[in-house]
Amino acid sequence: MIFRLTRFVRSLLVALAYSAIGASAVLLIAGIVYLNQQADLEIWHLADLDAEFTEASGVTTFAAYLAREERLFEQLNEKVYARIAADERRQINRYHRNSLSDPARRSPNWNRSFVRRAASPKAGVLLLHGMSDSPYSLRAIGEKLNAAGATVLGLRLPGHGTAPSGLVEVRWQDMAAAVRLAMRQLADEVGASGEGAAPPLYIVGYSTGAALAVNYALATLDDGALAKVDKLVLLSPAIGVSSAAVLAVWQARLGHLLGLEKLAWNVILPEYDPYKYGSFAVNAGDLVYRLTTQIQSRLDALSGSGKLEGFPPLLAFSSVVDATVSAPALVSGLFERLPAGGHELVLFDINRMAEIEPLLKFDPAAAVRALRDNPERAFALSLVSNENANSRRVVELTLASGEQRPREAALDLSWPDGVYSLAHVALPFPPDDPVYGGQAVRQGGVIQLGDVALRGERGVLQIPASDILRLRWNPFFPYVEARVLAFLALDAG
């Protein structure tokens, strides 16, 4: 009897195993068919721009980095712009010369690295943009910092500013190597001709650029040869992302194995934005995941050593709702892991007057309240929120480290009509940004994406309605700008 029962159990387990394998195979095939039904790949998804900088390029100076970048853009012209098909020569195509989306319609081309020098620099500032973006995303704050007396270097990260194909194989180590070159160049720029102490060095990072800034600052605590950073400013920091990214990379590997190149892409969309890719490679998400994992590993290694006491003061801005990165992970994965050191987190609440709460998937109020009431909080916390439930005007509620009773300050700013929250992509852009601003002066001959309002049937456009409706500009940018200048001691005349 026992033998028969054992044989039955064994047969059942084998049947279940075969069923699981069969179900997995069906799901795998269905997934491949579904993913391979995406739009066809275009030349900008497939172009091999091998002049791109990598960690293994043998480049040791920023001048050589720029020379390689020059060759890269020559390749872009030869392999993409000069070869697009006749039916792609449209007025809304980034890769059609003289189209509304052509980056060359504006000068300079903000997809490229740039340096804005101050005659007698008070500081050096490195600007690091986000994933799939370009140096344009920090143009506005960079110009303000330069006008305030800082020499500013806007770095084009490897894989960016050219064609989406650049994100298929780039690694976070390539980006980190470019950051090291740029910081060394910036230190030379502001310290070569001065007498006495050299001006301070700062990094302003947006999204993935913020993660690269944190990674660099942590590296300096172990490597005395690296140029020290004195302060960090982070916008929509990518400190925590979904672990699904590490699984998604197998999609791309499977696609390569099966010869299905579309599987290397999470999203394939028209390229209508002059400064940001519409299409998103699987590798890009995996890269961010690996970078954030590297940050946690560095923090683990430095914890208990006393070296984290040397981490530079940090000012970070984030929306309490962010569809791209994890706002709670910014607290648990960075702020709560750093010892007290003049750090501050600024959160932008949702628009409480919009009466949006019943429509929300979740209300961030409880998480903000727990953060505010935590007596062990070792950093300052500021919340930008409605002055009351009946007003669109906002105030700043600030608590110093350990405090639970906030100080309130009026900001003379208000939520615009129809806006219920900020968005990940909105924080670096002023309302009058010529491309992404909602209050920009209209210019002929160039695309403006900040106030697009298309109406029609759903499922018709290739571009998701959620992308069109996403807020691209920050109504509170003047506040961000003022806080950054004060934090970096560049607000004096």
Side-chain angles (χ1 to χ4, degrees):
M1 180 69 179
I2 294 176
F3 174 75
R4 290 178 181 175
L5 183 61
T6 303
R7 186 170 60 182
F8 171 75
V9 171
R10 186 181 300 125
S11 299
L12 179 62
L13 292 175
V14 171
L16 289 173
Y18 278 119
S19 296
I21 293 172
S24 298
V26 170
L27 289 173
L28 177 62
I29 293 170
I32 290 173
V33 171
Y34 172 76
L35 290 168
N36 203 42
Q37 286 178 341
Q38 294 192 90
D40 290 339
L41 295 175
E42 304 291 349
I43 191 169
W44 44 84
H45 298 110
L46 302 170
D48 180 16
L49 307 179
D50 57 12
E52 181 61 274
F53 169 87
T54 69
E55 186 184 28
S57 294
V59 171
T60 58
T61 67
F62 190 67
Y65 183 90
L66 292 180
R68 195 174 184 95
E69 186 175 272
E70 183 66 29
R71 294 198 299 275
L72 175 67
F73 276 81
E74 291 173 358
Q75 274 193 344
L76 179 67
N77 287 331
E78 296 167 1
K79 296 188 174 185
V80 179
Y81 281 96
R83 297 184 182 181
I84 67 168
D87 61 352
E88 294 293 349
R89 301 180 190 277
R90 301 188 300 265
Q91 282 301 298
I92 303 179
N93 181 357
R94 171 176 175 163
Y95 299 104
H96 173 37
R97 283 296 182 212
N98 296 316
S99 74
L100 298 178
S101 301
D102 181 6
R105 295 294 290 260
R106 292 179 175 85
S107 182
N109 184 346
W110 292 102
N111 285 304
R112 305 182 67 158
S113 301
F114 65 89
V115 179
R116 296 290 179 269
R117 295 177 176 85
S120 300
K122 300 176 183 178
V125 183
L126 176 62
L127 307 177
L128 300 176
H129 62 78
M131 181 63 66
S132 84
D133 292 326
S134 67
Y136 183 86
S137 61
L138 292 172
R139 172 197 63 86
I141 192 68
E143 290 180 340
K144 190 68 174 182
L145 291 168
N146 180 237
T151 287
V152 174
L153 192 160
L155 176 66
R156 182 200 62 86
L157 294 170
H160 292 78
T162 54
S165 61
L167 295 183
V168 173
E169 295 185 356
V170 66
R171 305 178 311 141
W172 73 261
Q173 292 91 338
D174 301 327
M175 297 182 182
V179 171
R180 292 193 296 270
L181 288 177
M183 280 297 289
R184 189 188 313 158
Q185 175 67 24
L186 191 62
D188 291 343
E189 290 274 354
V190 302
S193 60
E195 296 181 1
L201 298 177
Y202 306 135
I203 303 179
V204 177
Y206 163 54
S207 191
T208 302
L212 288 165
V214 171
N215 181 67
Y216 179 86
L218 290 170
T220 65
L221 303 181
D222 271 333
D223 188 347
L226 295 176
K228 296 296 182 183
V229 56
D230 294 282
K231 290 183 179 180
L232 296 178
V233 175
L234 311 182
L235 303 171
S236 299
I239 300 301
V241 295
S242 170
S243 58
V246 76
L247 299 176
V249 74
W250 287 100
Q251 171 188 317
R253 292 173 180 171
L254 181 63
H256 180 73
L257 179 66
L258 299 178
L260 301 174
E261 293 176 308
K262 289 184 184 180
L263 296 190
W265 299 88
N266 279 331
V267 179
I268 301 173
L269 290 176
E271 297 300 326
Y272 60 90
D273 190 322
Y275 302 117
K276 182 179 179 68
Y277 301 146
S279 304
F280 196 80
V282 170
N283 178 64
D286 180 64
L287 179 157
V288 180
Y289 175 80
R290 294 181 186 278
L291 174 59
T292 56
T293 301
Q294 168 70 9
I295 289 172
Q296 297 308 309
S297 297
R298 284 193 184 277
L299 285 167
D300 289 340
L302 292 167
S303 295
S305 68
K307 292 182 179 180
L308 280 178
E309 301 287 343
F311 192 87
L314 166 64
L315 174 64
F317 300 86
S318 178
S319 173
V320 294
V321 288
D322 190 315
T324 302
V325 301
S326 169
L330 172 60
V331 176
S332 61
L334 183 60
F335 276 91
E336 290 183 346
R337 304 203 64 183
L338 295 175
H343 311 307
E344 181 176 357
L345 173 60
V346 178
L347 294 175
F348 294 97
D349 199 3
I350 62 174
N351 181 2
R352 296 291 169 180
M353 189 189 175
E355 297 184 354
I356 196 70
E357 288 91 338
L359 302 178
L360 295 174
K361 291 183 177 179
F362 73 96
D363 190 338
V368 173
R369 186 163 52 250
L371 180 59
R372 180 195 65 198
D373 295 342
N374 182 2
E376 298 181 359
R377 178 174 36 78
F379 54 91
L381 175 67
S382 292
L383 180 68
V384 176
S385 187
N386 300 71
E387 61 180 2
N388 59 61
N390 300 312
S391 174
R392 291 189 294 111
R393 295 175 64 84
V394 296
V395 296
E396 177 193 55
L397 304 171
T398 301
L399 302 102
S401 173
E403 287 184 348
Q404 293 176 291
R405 179 170 296 180
R407 301 183 305 278
E408 181 176 315
L411 296 181
D412 195 27
L413 294 168
S414 301
W415 282 102
D417 288 334
V419 176
Y420 59 86
S421 79
L422 294 189
H424 178 84
V425 297
L427 264 65
F429 299 106
D432 61 352
D433 185 89
V435 178
Y436 305 112
Q439 301 170 8
V441 176
R442 291 202 167 272
Q443 303 174 12
V446 292
I447 196 167
Q448 291 179 290
L449 302 171
D451 60 350
V452 175
L454 301 177
R455 297 289 185 269
E457 183 56 272
R458 64 184 178 183
V460 175
L461 300 179
Q462 293 185 58
I463 305 168
S466 57
D467 286 2
I468 295 173
L469 293 174
R470 198 177 193 188
L471 186 67
R472 293 173 177 265
W473 54 278
N474 185 356
F476 311 125
F477 184 83
Y479 166 78
V480 172
E481 188 177 75
R483 289 298 313 273
V484 171
L485 289 171
F487 179 68
L488 302 183
L490 292 170
D491 54 341

